[in-house]
Amino acid sequence: MGRRARDRRRQQQEQRRERGSDVGCGDQVGWAGGYPEIVKENELFERYYREQGIVPAGEWDDFMAALREPLPATLRITGYRSHAKEILHCLKEKYFKELQDLEVDGQKVEMPQVLSWYPEELAWHTNLSRKILRKSPQLEKFHQFLVSETECGNISRQEAVSMIPPLLLNVEPHHKILDMCAAPGSKTAQLIEMLHADMNVPFPKGFVIANDVDNKRCYLLVHQAKRLNSPCIMVVNHDASSIPNLQIDVDGRKEILFYDRILCDVPCSGDGTMRKNIDVWKKWTTQNSLQLHGLQLRIATRGVEQLAEGGRMVYSTCSLNPIENEAVIASLLEKSQGALELADVSSELPGLKRMPGITKWKVMLKDGQWFENWKDVPSNRQTQIRPTMFPVKDEEKLKAMNLERCLRILPHHQNTGGFFVAVLIKKCPMPWNKRQPKVHQKLPQRTGDTEVTAANSDNGSECTTEETTFAGNEDSKKMQELQNSDTEQIKKEGVCGPPPSKKMKLFGFKEDPFVFLPEDDPLFLPIQKFYALDPSFPKMNLLTRTQEGKKRQLYMVSKELRNVLLNNSEKMKVINTGIKVWSRNSDGEQFGCAFRLAQEGIYTLYPFIHARIINVCIEDVKILLTQENPFLSKFSSETQKKVKDMAMGSIVLKYDPGPEKPDDLQCPIVLCGWQGKTSLRAFVPKNERLHYLRMMGVEVFKAKRKEEESESKTVEDVQHRLAQTEEGMNVEDKEQDSVIKMESEIGEESSHSPVESSAMEVENKIEDLDQSSENANGHVNQQSKDTDTSNVKD
């Protein structure tokens, strides 16, 4: 990234800060405060929801009062890493204690409160506004902690109700998961964390395929997911309502991939977000929900089609409107003919206050006209209102649906936004899929470089979704008859059947191919020898993003994602997958290996490495993280002995907590480093350095910007300059290579900051998206007639 681009980006961020917005907050647009004044009144909104009866009697005033209050900021500590408990301990024992009895402008600061229903105290909310955060050094220190930890993936600033759907999915590490409408990615991050519940397993058997229809928002999703450094995540770009069937290799045969868990967080009108998206107050109309209903139903239908028998799908919206919620679920249940059922989750997430789903509602046009039955809708309105928007009239059918098992979160019950969730269990195939056999094809033998190209993504190009192959003409004719009968039913009754097959346009950036290393690639042998990799190391899972020239980066995916990539290259547009595990050095061969370790993938690689590991004490770790290129003489005598007979090159620096020192950091740390002639350094991203130092109790905060320019050589100032290094995570690898080369030649300290580059190919694209992602709460299908560009998705 050039200097001008960095300056422009910094200027844009300053402008956004002045307006009171927060950058990179995932699902949460901003901390409370900073919005322009707006009249929070909408007569049509009040009339509509009073009549629908979603608010209990006597609570209407409390409901409206809560909607007019700013939304508390909420944060979630990632449960993915073993460091979660250390971060929680640091928050409670250091930052929260500093806020106790603190007064700003004569008012006592309100302490952050734990979300009682979120497991293990890993989610908190606070009413501290940005204006207040700037008025006290203690508060500013707390805010900088949150920002820095968010950037390195240890904390996610996410709206409280947005955390609910992944929790209700009940994810286990072996589950195959599809996130249908994933951007901006906070819920996807939760799913990744759940896959890696056991950090001792570097490659869980499950994976997450995160999809979004908006090509630009896919890169925001990549940026969010990459903070978690998982080999089990793939980001794809498809219209969720027609996302293709994928195939996988099972014992040499191709079979259709069905998912164990599906998150269906669909585009919605977003009236549950009025506390943070105040534009909804003046823009709200019933037309938004009427336009979105058809799209929501098609996406949900496509989801249950791809759900495995016994699997669980969570349907959710940040809307309170029954047209987008209960009407979609009721229509889906009706046409499933018993294949689906609503799960009873009343005993899950104890402490979460919820309202049951409703069974009676009405449909309103934007002019305020009400309709209770489809037969009452005039013909000139039947393009706006559909029969699936009305409640089921058959009392027996309605009772069997158990719509009360849906849950609606009302803002005034626990100081949150509004939200709707329904959990569906698939008992058997959908009626229109019952005759669909599994696809059995012998796979061809692969030789040489195994290349997986992303689907043709040139502007205007098209590819068709998968057409299922049936065993015989008779079955094919019967299926066609079934589909024709469904079409007739739609015409006669307006009942939505299976979504019609349609062509899917692919657009946006053209992606580089995914090229897996062949088993006999000579590139791997020196790597294996240099790091003494375990024979169980899955080298077939290594891939690059280039077809020609030298391979500069090596990435890694899980075996299961490799299977998906190899068998679906022509039908799937992959935006990104894999984590970087090795980077090429210039002139690296002189050290015995052309590839150095990358911090991004070290926790995945470490279990397989048996050489070039140096165990260090906590004081050594502090030196490594606060000094640019410390001489060996600064380290403990034990460390000096270990590196004395070790050849120059890339190394692993491992810290293990000792029970005899309970006051020290109690979680293990693995760092990538480089051993030179006379020095030892760590190649670690800026924010990760700050994280580890905070966990060890080293102060890394400076309140005044002018102090950042100080030339003081104290440990604190050195670390502070690291914190202000422009986009430390975007430093080019060639800069590190020059550091290594210089050090190998002269054995002296270099002026370059030893900051690991974890920028993927998408970083330059993400820069261009910063401005647009600020308000990117809309998850809009541009190609559907059912959408509106004002729609938002939490």
Side-chain angles (χ1 to χ4, degrees):
M1 187 184 301
R3 181 176 299 173
R4 290 182 181 177
R6 290 197 297 267
D7 291 343
R8 183 172 65 252
R9 185 175 180 178
R10 188 194 307 128
Q11 186 177 7
Q12 291 172 349
Q13 290 173 343
E14 290 294 335
Q15 290 172 351
R16 286 196 291 272
R17 277 197 286 267
E18 290 174 4
R19 294 197 304 267
S21 296
D22 246 335
V23 179
C25 300
D27 285 344
Q28 189 162 301
V29 171
W31 296 80
Y35 289 110
E37 290 296 326
I38 190 171
V39 178
K40 297 179 180 179
E41 299 286 347
N42 189 306
E43 184 180 346
L44 187 64
F45 174 86
E46 293 196 40
R47 179 186 165 198
Y48 181 80
Y49 279 112
R50 275 183 185 274
E51 192 72 21
Q52 296 289 21
I54 67 166
V55 180
E59 296 184 17
W60 181 259
D61 290 341
D62 293 336
F63 170 72
M64 292 303 299
L67 285 177
R68 294 185 177 101
E69 289 295 318
L71 186 69
T74 47
L75 61 93
R76 178 175 57 80
I77 302 170
T78 62
Y80 162 52
R81 295 174 180 169
S82 58
H83 299 160
K85 290 183 179 179
E86 291 294 327
I87 298 171
L88 179 60
H89 177 78
C90 184
L91 266 175
K92 293 170 70 175
E93 298 301 320
K94 177 177 172 57
Y95 293 97
F96 290 171
K97 279 190 175 180
E98 290 180 355
L99 302 183
Q100 286 181 349
D101 303 321
L102 182 65
E103 291 188 1
V104 175
D105 294 341
Q107 291 187 339
K108 187 175 179 179
V109 172
E110 185 177 340
M111 289 291 294
Q113 300 295 319
V114 68
L115 295 182
S116 60
W117 48 267
Y118 200 94
E120 301 181 31
E121 293 189 332
L122 292 179
W124 296 71
H125 71 92
T126 172
N127 286 316
L128 297 174
S129 69
R130 180 177 288 276
K131 183 178 180 181
I132 294 177
L133 285 168
R134 289 177 171 175
K135 287 191 173 183
S136 165
Q138 288 90 343
L139 290 175
E140 189 179 357
K141 189 184 300 184
F142 173 54
H143 184 249
Q144 287 199 10
F145 166 81
L146 296 179
V147 171
S148 180
E149 292 297 318
T150 298
E151 289 177 356
C152 59
N154 296 315
I155 284 178
S156 286
R157 289 179 352 209
Q158 178 182 359
E159 189 179 348
V161 290
S162 175
M163 305 174 191
I164 297 172
L167 293 177
L168 292 178
L169 269 178
N170 292 347
V171 169
E172 296 181 14
H174 65 275
H175 283 153
K176 301 175 182 65
I177 308 166
L178 173 64
D179 191 349
M180 300 188 74
C181 308
S186 293
K187 299 180 187 70
T188 309
Q190 278 180 273
L191 299 175
I192 298 171
E193 295 165 23
M194 295 171 184
L195 282 182
H196 292 272
D198 185 354
M199 281 300 293
N200 294 319
V201 180
F203 293 101
K205 291 185 178 180
F207 56 78
V208 177
I209 294 180
N211 173 72
D212 201 88
V213 67
D214 190 313
N215 183 265
K216 291 183 178 180
R217 282 165 61 84
C218 279
Y219 292 96
L220 185 65
L221 175 58
V222 170
H223 184 62
Q224 184 88 322
K226 282 297 175 184
R227 300 180 311 146
L228 297 176
N229 297 332
S230 169
C232 304
I233 170 70
M234 179 189 296
V235 176
V236 299
N237 179 203
H238 291 281
D239 178 352
S241 65
S242 60
I243 190 168
N245 286 332
L246 302 183
Q247 295 178 343
I248 53 175
D249 172 20
V250 179
D251 299 326
R253 298 179 300 183
K254 282 189 177 182
E255 294 189 358
I256 295 175
L257 170 62
F258 291 99
Y259 300 94
D260 303 299
R261 298 289 186 268
I262 294 180
L263 179 56
C264 187
D265 187 49
V266 296
C268 68
S269 61
D271 57 22
T273 69
M274 297 176 94
R275 299 182 67 179
K276 65 176 184 179
N277 298 318
I278 58 173
D279 282 349
V280 178
W281 281 98
K282 58 182 179 181
K283 292 180 179 179
W284 188 91
T285 170
T286 58
Q287 190 68 18
N288 292 339
S289 60
L290 299 181
Q291 289 177 328
L292 282 163
H293 171 87
L295 173 64
Q296 293 163 338
L297 183 53
R298 290 200 306 275
I299 293 175
T301 301
R302 190 68 185 123
V304 295
E305 284 180 337
Q306 299 200 332
L307 188 63
E309 292 181 40
R312 176 179 282 216
M313 185 178 91
V314 170
Y315 175 91
S316 62
T317 74
C318 50
S319 168
L320 300 172
N321 201 324
I323 308 302
E324 303 177 62
N325 298 326
E326 283 92 347
V328 173
I329 296 301
S331 179
L332 193 60
L333 289 171
E334 185 175 24
K335 69 179 180 177
S336 77
Q337 299 177 20
L340 300 172
E341 71 172 0
L342 276 169
D344 183 359
V345 293
S346 57
S347 61
E348 299 183 35
L349 303 184
L352 177 66
K353 297 177 183 177
R354 65 197 90 183
M355 294 295 296
I358 61 177
T359 57
K360 303 294 181 184
W361 61 89
K362 296 188 290 185
V363 180
M364 179 197 276
L365 287 174
K366 63 179 180 181
D367 61 5
Q369 185 178 3
W370 287 101
F371 296 97
E372 295 191 30
N373 297 286
W374 166 248
K375 63 182 180 181
D376 298 331
V377 180
S379 58
N380 65 336
R381 297 294 192 182
Q382 290 184 5
T383 56
Q384 295 174 290
I385 297 179
R386 304 181 182 190
T388 53
M389 296 177 181
F390 292 91
V392 176
K393 299 302 180 184
D394 188 316
E395 291 296 331
E396 188 174 337
K397 277 187 178 181
L398 188 62
K399 185 177 180 181
M401 287 180 178
N402 296 311
L403 288 179
E404 70 279 357
R405 291 181 177 178
C406 301
L407 59 97
R408 182 178 273 101
I409 310 297
L410 297 180
H412 63 292
H413 282 168
Q414 51 211 331
N415 198 14
T416 65
F419 213 71
F420 176 88
V421 184
V423 182
L424 293 159
I425 305 294
K426 187 173 181 179
K427 299 161 65 177
C428 61
M430 302 303 287
W432 55 90
N433 291 142
K434 283 184 177 179
R435 297 180 184 276
Q436 177 179 332
K438 292 182 178 179
V439 177
H440 294 296
Q441 299 175 5
K442 281 290 183 180
L443 296 176
Q445 296 295 319
R446 304 182 184 275
T447 58
D449 273 13
T450 309
E451 178 188 340
V452 181
T453 58
N456 186 358
S457 55
D458 290 329
N459 290 335
S461 65
E462 295 183 351
C463 75
T464 56
T465 54
E466 177 187 13
E467 294 293 337
T468 309
T469 302
F470 296 99
N473 293 333
E474 191 64 30
D475 281 343
S476 181
K477 289 178 182 178
K478 290 179 179 178
M479 176 57 72
Q480 187 62 46
E481 290 172 2
L482 177 61
Q483 291 178 341
N484 289 340
S485 66
D486 284 335
T487 304
E488 289 301 318
Q489 186 182 20
I490 295 169
K491 291 179 180 178
K492 291 178 182 179
E493 305 175 19
V495 177
C496 182
S501 61
K502 65 176 184 177
K503 290 188 175 181
M504 174 179 49
K505 291 184 179 179
L506 299 176
F507 50 88
F509 298 109
K510 186 172 183 178
E511 293 302 318
D512 294 327
F514 296 84
V515 184
F516 283 93
L517 291 188
E519 193 169 356
D520 56 351
D521 194 315
L523 190 73
F524 181 72
L525 190 59
I527 295 177
Q528 185 178 36
K529 182 178 179 182
F530 190 73
Y531 296 102
L533 296 179
D534 193 89
S536 65
F537 178 77
K539 60 183 178 181
M540 293 296 289
N541 298 350
L542 289 173
L543 59 87
T544 64
R545 297 299 302 272
T546 180
Q547 292 175 281
E548 300 175 357
K550 282 189 174 182
K551 299 176 175 67
R552 287 198 55 81
Q553 317 285 355
L554 294 182
Y555 302 94
M556 197 160 203
V557 295
S558 65
K559 180 179 69 174
E560 288 73 19
L561 272 189
R562 180 181 187 272
N563 192 347
V564 174
L565 273 169
L566 289 177
N567 289 291
N568 300 279
S569 60
E570 295 181 358
K571 68 182 68 174
M572 183 172 59
K573 184 184 177 186
V574 180
I575 299 297
N576 203 276
T577 190
I579 53 171
K580 183 167 66 175
V581 287
W582 279 292
S583 292
R584 181 183 288 274
N585 285 347
S586 297
D587 304 320
E589 288 83 354
Q590 65 179 298
F591 305 118
C593 180
F595 287 86
R596 61 173 179 79
L597 297 164
Q599 182 67 26
E600 191 173 310
I602 190 60
Y603 284 95
T604 298
L605 276 184
Y606 176 74
F608 301 100
I609 298 175
H610 295 308
R612 306 195 61 77
I613 299 174
I614 298 176
N615 291 96
V616 293
C617 63
I618 195 165
E619 295 303 323
D620 288 340
V621 176
K622 291 178 182 178
I623 293 173
L624 287 164
L625 297 178
T626 56
Q627 299 187 30
E628 293 186 9
N629 193 21
F631 288 107
L632 289 173
S633 58
K634 295 185 178 181
F635 293 93
S636 63
S637 57
E638 291 81 4
T639 299
Q640 293 183 49
K641 290 177 184 177
K642 292 173 185 175
V643 302
K644 183 178 180 182
D645 299 323
M646 191 176 290
M648 290 176 57
S650 186
I651 56 173
V652 177
L653 300 159
K654 176 70 183 303
Y655 163 75
D656 287 306
E660 69 280 1
K661 296 182 178 180
D663 294 334
D664 285 350
L665 184 67
Q666 290 301 301
C667 65
I669 296 177
V670 183
L671 307 175
C672 290
W674 185 270
Q675 181 188 343
K677 287 182 178 179
T678 59
S679 63
L680 195 65
R681 65 168 65 218
F683 284 121
V684 181
K686 170 195 64 179
N687 289 314
E688 201 164 333
R689 285 173 173 257
L690 298 179
H691 161 70
Y692 290 134
L693 288 168
R694 285 193 189 94
M695 296 303 101
M696 292 184 291
V698 178
E699 183 59 76
V700 294
F701 171 77
K702 281 288 183 179
K704 302 292 184 182
R705 176 170 283 274
K706 63 182 181 181
E707 293 178 0
E708 298 170 10
E709 301 171 0
S710 171
E711 293 300 321
S712 172
K713 293 298 182 181
T714 64
V715 169
E716 189 174 12
D717 284 333
V718 169
Q719 182 54 45
H720 177 67
R721 289 200 306 279
L722 284 172
Q724 294 300 323
T725 300
E726 277 299 328
E727 295 301 321
M729 297 178 71
N730 292 331
V731 176
E732 294 292 339
D733 280 334
K734 62 183 180 181
E735 191 170 317
Q736 297 182 28
D737 294 342
S738 65
V739 173
I740 294 168
K741 185 176 180 181
M742 182 190 307
E743 205 236 3
S744 66
E745 292 174 351
I746 63 176
E748 296 179 358
E749 294 193 24
S750 166
S751 61
H752 292 287
S753 174
V755 182
E756 163 70 351
S757 168
S758 65
M760 302 295 289
E761 293 83 355
V762 300
E763 285 296 335
N764 59 332
K765 299 166 186 173
I766 292 173
E767 178 195 356
D768 298 331
L769 304 177
D770 273 357
Q771 187 65 35
S772 61
S773 66
E774 181 182 5
N775 295 314
N777 297 308
H779 201 52
V780 182
N781 182 348
Q782 300 290 342
Q783 301 173 48
S784 172
K785 296 179 182 178
D786 295 307
T787 59
D788 186 301
T789 54
S790 65
N791 301 325
V792 298
K793 168 184 175 289
D794 183 61

